[in-house]
C-alpha cells in the first residue's frame, strides 16, 4: 500500500461480530451502539481512553474554541437509559470540563430546560445545547424561543419516537422553534473516536486527523473522485485501539472544498445509531 486510496477499509459490520482490537493492553472501556431489541450491537473496545478524550476535546476546540467558554446543556434522554454510550461519555466530560454550575443533563424536565435556556441566553452566556432530534422537537413544541447566544446542535436520530425527517426539513423546523438562523450537527458513531461537525449548512468538516472518502457502491475497493456520491469511508487516526480505516454504511459526497454531505444510508443497513436520519 503506497497511497491512501489503496488502503483496504474494514466493513463497519465487523464491530458487531468480531473483536476489533490492535492492542494487547487491558480493555478500559467498551462502547456499544444502541440497537433495537434482539439486534446485534457494535462493540468498540478501548484500551486507552486518553485517545478518545484528546480527540473530542481537540476536535471541539478546533471548531468551537475552548469548552470553558460555554455552558453545556445536554438533552439526550435515550442515551442515558443505557450504559456504554460513547456520546454520553463525551458530553458528560464536556459538561465537567465547561466548569459551569449551570451545565448539565436534562432528561424529561423540558420546562426546567426551557427556563434555563431563556435565562442563560438573556444573560449573554455562550450556551451549547446538544440533543437528539426527537427531544429537541419535543422542547420547541412546549416552548418557542428567540435565542441570540446559543448554539443548537443535533446528533440526529428519531429512535422510533417520531417520523424520520430529511436533515433540511428538521433544521427548518428547529430553526423556527429556537428563533435562530442555523442548526449545528455532530456526526459520530460508536465505531469512531472522532467527530465531524456542521456549523449550520448541513455540510460537515473533519478535524485534521480524520478524513472522509467515498467508495463505489458496486466496487468497495474503488475510491471515487470528489463530487461523486458513494459509500462513506472514514479514516480516524484516533482509533488507535481498534482500526483507523472504516467502511461505513452511510452514503455521502465529498465536495471540492473537502466539506462532506451526508445523504443517507444503504437500504440494507441496520437502522441504528445517533448520527443519521434515514432517507
Amino acid at each position: 500500500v503506497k497511497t491512501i486510496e489503496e488502503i483496504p477499509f474494514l466493513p463497519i459490520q465487523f464491530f458487531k461480530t468480531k473483536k476489533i482490537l490492535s492492542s494487547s493492553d487491558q480493555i478500559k472501556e467498551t462502547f456499544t451502539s444502541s440497537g433495537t431489541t434482539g439486534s446485534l450491537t457494535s462493540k468498540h473496545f478501548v484500551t486507552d481512553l486518553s485517545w478518545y478524550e484528546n480527540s473530542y476535546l481537540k476536535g471541539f476546540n478546533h471548531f468551537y474554541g475552548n469548552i470553558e467558554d460555554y455552558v453545556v446543556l445536554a438533552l439526550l434522554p435515550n442515551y442515558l437509559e443505557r450504559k456504554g454510550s460513547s456520546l454520553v461519555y463525551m458530553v458528560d466530560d464536556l459538561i465537567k470540563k465547561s466548569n459551569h454550575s449551570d451545565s448539565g443533563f436534562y432528561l424529561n424536565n423540558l420546562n426546567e430546560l426551557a427556563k434555563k435556556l431563556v435565562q442563560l441566553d438573556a444573560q449573554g452566556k455562550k450556551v451549547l445545547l446538544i440533543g437528539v432530534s426527537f427531544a429537541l422537537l419535543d422542547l420547541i413544541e412546549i416552548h418557542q424561543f428567540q435565542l441570540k447566544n446559543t448554539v443548537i446542535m443535533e446528533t440526529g436520530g428519531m429512535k422510533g419516537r417520531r417520523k424520520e425527517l430529511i436533515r433540511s426539513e428538521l433544521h427548518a423546523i428547529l430553526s423556527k422553534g429556537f428563533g435562530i438562523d442555523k442548526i449545528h450537527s455532530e456526526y459520530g458513531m460508536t465505531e469512531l473516536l472522532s467527530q465531524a461537525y456542521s456549523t449550520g449548512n448541513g455540510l460537515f468538516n473533519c478535524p485534521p486527523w480524520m478524513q472522509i472518502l467515498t467508495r463505489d457502491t458496486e466496487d468497495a475497493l474503488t475510491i471515487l473522485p470528489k463530487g461523486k456520491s458513494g459509500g462513506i469511508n472514514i479514516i480516524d487516526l484516533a482509533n488507535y485501539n481498534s482500526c483507523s480505516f472504516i467502511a461505513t454504511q452511510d452514503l455521502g459526497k465529498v465536495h471540492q472544498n473537502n466539506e462532506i454531505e451526508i445523504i443517507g444510508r444503504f437500504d440494507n443497513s441496520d437502522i441504528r445509531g445517533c448520527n443519521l436520519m434515514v432517507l
Side-chain angles (χ1 to χ4, degrees), residues 8-263:
F9 284 73
L10 182 79
I12 201 167
Q13 302 93 306
F14 282 23
F15 281 85
K16 291 178 185 290
T17 57
K18 308 292 180 190
K19 192 171 186 178
I20 310 301
L21 200 59
S22 60
S23 171
S24 57
D25 294 342
Q26 181 185 355
I27 293 165
K28 298 290 176 58
E29 187 77 46
T30 302
F31 292 125
T32 57
S33 64
S34 55
T36 53
T37 305
S39 68
L40 281 174
T41 57
S42 293
K43 289 185 173 63
H44 192 170
F45 301 100
V46 181
T47 57
D48 185 350
L49 279 163
S50 68
W51 282 78
Y52 184 37
E53 291 163 0
N54 275 325
S55 176
Y56 63 66
L57 285 170
K58 288 181 178 177
F60 185 88
N61 190 275
H62 181 76
F63 292 109
Y64 292 99
N66 193 335
I67 187 61
E68 293 182 11
D69 295 338
Y70 291 85
V71 181
V72 181
L73 307 178
L75 189 53
L76 302 166
N78 51 329
Y79 294 99
L80 293 176
E81 292 160 8
R82 64 180 185 84
K83 292 183 177 178
S85 166
S86 56
L87 178 64
V88 167
Y89 187 99
M90 175 180 82
V91 174
D92 182 56
D93 196 37
L94 292 178
I95 285 170
K96 290 171 183 166
K97 295 277 196 309
S98 73
N99 207 20
H100 200 291
S101 58
D102 285 311
S103 292
F105 284 97
Y106 287 80
L107 290 174
N108 300 310
N109 41 348
L110 296 180
N111 285 311
E112 185 186 338
L113 174 58
K115 285 180 192 170
K116 183 69 71 179
L117 261 181
V118 171
Q119 175 193 346
L120 291 168
D121 195 82
Q123 291 171 356
K125 298 277 175 64
K126 281 176 77 171
V127 180
L128 169 66
L129 172 61
I130 182 166
V132 68
S133 301
F134 77 82
L136 293 173
L137 290 169
D138 289 347
L139 178 60
I140 61 171
E141 282 183 359
I142 67 159
H143 198 291
Q144 296 284 296
F145 300 87
Q146 288 295 323
L147 301 175
K148 294 182 172 60
N149 302 296
T150 301
V151 170
I152 307 294
M153 182 182 292
E154 54 90 3
T155 66
M158 293 300 183
K159 295 294 184 189
R161 309 278 184 106
R162 285 173 174 264
K163 179 174 77 75
E164 296 289 346
L165 302 170
I166 61 171
R167 181 171 271 114
S168 58
E169 188 180 356
L170 171 69
H171 284 202
I173 295 168
L174 292 177
S175 292
K176 185 179 178 189
F178 286 107
I180 56 180
D181 293 335
K182 55 190 181 179
I183 302 296
H184 295 230
S185 304
E186 180 260 359
Y187 176 73
M189 56 188 75
T190 301
E191 300 85 357
L192 301 176
L193 295 185
S194 299
Q195 303 77 33
Y197 289 99
S198 167
T199 56
N201 54 5
L203 296 174
F204 290 84
N205 287 283
C206 296
W209 55 91
M210 180 183 182
Q211 185 175 344
I212 290 180
L213 310 169
T214 52
R215 67 181 184 275
D216 191 319
T217 55
E218 303 296 326
D219 179 6
L221 296 179
T222 298
I223 299 298
L224 297 172
K226 289 179 181 177
K228 296 280 188 182
S229 298
I232 287 181
N233 285 359
I234 299 180
I235 301 171
D236 182 5
L237 298 183
N239 270 22
Y240 170 77
N241 310 268
S242 53
C243 178
S244 288
F245 308 94
I246 307 295
T248 77
Q249 292 178 307
D250 297 337
L251 291 164
K253 181 192 299 185
V254 181
H255 291 266
Q256 294 300 328
N257 61 358
N258 290 323
E259 289 188 314
I260 299 103
E261 182 179 350
I262 309 297
I263 296 170

